[in-house]
Amino acid sequence: ELTKQVNDQFAKVKALLEDYQDPNAPGGYVIYTAELRESDAAKLSRAIQSLQEPLSTIAEKVATAQ
């Protein structure tokens, strides 16, 4: 369950980032400009934050494993 949740969230983030790919740009992605930040920062933050809970759960399980 947890592994599937993390894999699903990573897939969503990866799919979202595909919109920003640019093979002609340095690093292969569009430059993160002020305009891009203003229009997309909230969307990108939500996608990354969706990973926070399941990843912290994994970290907790690892830290408390005996």
Side-chain angles (χ1 to χ4, degrees), residues 20-22 24-37:
Y20 301 96
Q21 288 182 326
D22 179 355
N24 298 317
Y29 288 89
V30 297
I31 296 173
Y32 193 66
T33 62
E35 292 83 16
L36 184 59
R37 182 180 331 117

Side-chain angles (χ1 to χ4, degrees), residues 7-52:
N7 285 336
D8 289 348
Q9 294 299 350
F10 268 115
K12 288 178 183 178
V13 170
K14 184 177 177 183
L16 177 64
L17 291 177
E18 287 176 358
D19 293 339
Y20 301 96
Q21 288 182 326
D22 179 355
N24 298 317
Y29 288 89
V30 297
I31 296 173
Y32 193 66
T33 62
E35 292 83 16
L36 184 59
R37 182 180 331 117
E38 184 175 325
S39 65
D40 292 17
K43 174 174 65 172
L44 293 167
S45 292
R46 281 191 304 273
I48 298 300
Q49 288 172 353
S50 69
L51 287 166
Q52 181 179 356

